[in-house]
Amino acid sequence: MFYTIAAYLMWGFFPAFFPLLRPASPFEILAHRIVWTAVLVTFMLVITGGWRELKEMSLRTWGWMLGCGITITINWGTYVIAVNSNHVADAALGYFINPLVSVALGIIFLKETLTKAQVASVSIAFVAVLWLTFMTGQAPYYSLALAFSFALYGLLKKQISVSSMGSVAAETIVMLPFALMYLGYLQVQGESTFASEGPGHMALLVTSGLVTALPLLCFAQGAKHLRLSTIGMLQYMTPIMQMLWAVFVTQEDMPTERWIGFIIIWVAVIIYLADLVRMGRASRRRARLHSPAPSTDEAAT
């Protein structure tokens, strides 16, 4: 529980961190996130002896890791752009929608079946997106990009069997050449802020690797020991924190139409979470019914 809550708290404070990296552009920040996350996690693998896992991965697995790297890079980049352009509320909305998108992808690609409540929650979320599109004059592009990129990332992760640290290392290693080429291009063009803005700015860009990797590793550790329903409940800490940040800190414009769209999403989320709780209780009841009865000695004890 401690590790999982720590991960969601760190993700919840991301809107406070990435504006500190200005005047670096969102793409420069993204490139540094990839580089320093790869350096940090790879170093940890070498220290712990987990590097062998990467050496033994098949070419097919590396192909899946490339897909994971592309989708998580899109997610990271979209998030930085959203936060640094004062669209924190849109980022929060994306992570409210994300579990419902994951459910929909599970139906399409994994042939998973849904309960009536899950069908209702996905349908209501779709209505909310339509509402936001037509009533506010534009689709919630940041929200949809974040929700779909992270849901696709989760779908791709289901196709591989790699440790959490090995996966994060492989995902960033496959994207590392592109990040380094972009940073090199910025340096040649005289547009890099890494060395020109002082040691404090340089330290913050390097720290972006730790800020990116630490919650991922905490989440992976915590997820091993918690029920899926518990993780599903806790994950809404992050978008709630980000929503509060958008309203009270950055004070983003929230017209009535936008609030109505958020409320519709929250109704869908509540239905989804209530169904997770219901299924968890039903599963525990079935487990108790099918557990072997205690022996006479055990009962006496």
Side-chain angles (χ1 to χ4, degrees):
M1 184 73 77
F2 169 80
Y3 285 111
T4 307
I5 291 175
Y8 287 132
L9 285 175
M10 284 186 276
W11 280 324
F13 280 110
F14 269 18
F17 175 74
F18 288 110
L20 299 177
L21 304 184
R22 295 170 179 152
S25 70
F27 290 108
E28 183 178 4
I29 294 171
L30 173 61
H32 279 287
R33 288 187 75 179
I34 294 169
V35 170
W36 299 114
T37 301
V39 169
L40 175 65
V41 180
T42 302
F43 175 75
M44 293 174 66
L45 280 178
V46 172
I47 293 298
T48 59
W51 181 252
R52 289 189 296 273
E53 182 180 22
L54 299 189
K55 293 172 62 177
E56 295 168 359
M57 279 169 46
S58 67
L59 189 60
R60 184 173 184 272
T61 302
W62 276 107
W64 285 114
M65 298 314 305
L66 176 61
C68 291
I70 292 171
T71 51
I72 199 62
T73 297
I74 292 171
N75 184 268
W76 289 354
T78 303
Y79 187 84
V80 173
I81 293 171
V83 168
N84 281 11
S85 60
N86 294 322
H87 287 86
V88 179
D90 287 328
L93 178 62
Y95 289 111
F96 277 118
I97 297 174
N98 168 247
L100 306 176
V101 175
S102 295
V103 169
L105 293 182
I107 303 170
I108 297 169
F109 294 102
L110 303 180
K111 309 303 180 185
E112 295 178 350
T113 57
L114 295 186
T115 65
K116 291 181 180 179
Q118 289 171 339
V119 171
S121 66
V122 172
S123 302
I124 292 169
F126 181 69
V127 169
V129 172
L130 290 179
W131 170 272
L132 289 167
T133 300
F134 291 107
M135 298 306 293
T136 63
Q138 65 176 16
Y141 298 113
Y142 290 124
S143 307
L144 293 175
L146 287 167
F148 274 90
S149 60
F150 203 71
L152 284 169
Y153 174 71
L155 180 65
L156 291 171
K157 295 274 276 190
K158 280 187 169 292
Q159 312 305 315
I160 55 177
S161 178
V162 181
S163 70
S164 56
M165 192 180 299
S167 178
V168 174
E171 293 157 16
T172 49
I173 286 171
V174 295
M175 301 307 296
L176 187 59
F178 304 102
L180 290 173
M181 283 190 291
Y182 182 71
L183 292 177
Y185 167 79
L186 291 180
Q187 189 66 40
V188 170
Q189 296 296 315
E191 298 175 4
S192 172
T193 66
F194 184 65
S196 63
E197 297 296 321
H201 180 70
M202 186 184 298
L204 282 171
L205 286 173
V206 172
T207 304
S208 67
L210 177 64
V211 168
T212 300
L214 193 56
L216 284 172
L217 297 175
C218 283
F219 176 78
Q221 179 66 24
K224 295 177 184 177
H225 307 288
L226 290 179
R227 295 192 303 269
L228 185 61
S229 58
T230 304
I231 294 171
M233 297 281 282
L234 290 174
Q235 77 176 38
Y236 286 101
M237 289 172 56
T238 297
I240 288 170
M241 290 174 65
Q242 294 176 354
M243 186 70 188
L244 293 173
W245 187 272
V247 172
F248 294 109
V249 179
T250 58
Q251 298 182 339
E252 295 179 17
D253 183 35
M254 295 290 291
T256 303
E257 294 82 4
R258 204 175 186 196
W259 276 116
I260 292 173
F262 269 80
I263 290 169
I264 297 172
I265 285 290
W266 292 336
V267 169
V269 167
I270 290 168
I271 293 172
Y272 167 78
L273 292 178
D275 192 55
L276 280 183
V277 172
R278 179 194 63 78
M279 288 192 298
R281 288 175 176 171
S283 177
R284 289 193 294 274
R285 282 198 298 269
R286 287 194 298 270
R288 285 196 297 268
L289 287 173
H290 290 87
S291 61
S295 65
T296 306
D297 291 340
E298 290 173 333
T301 303

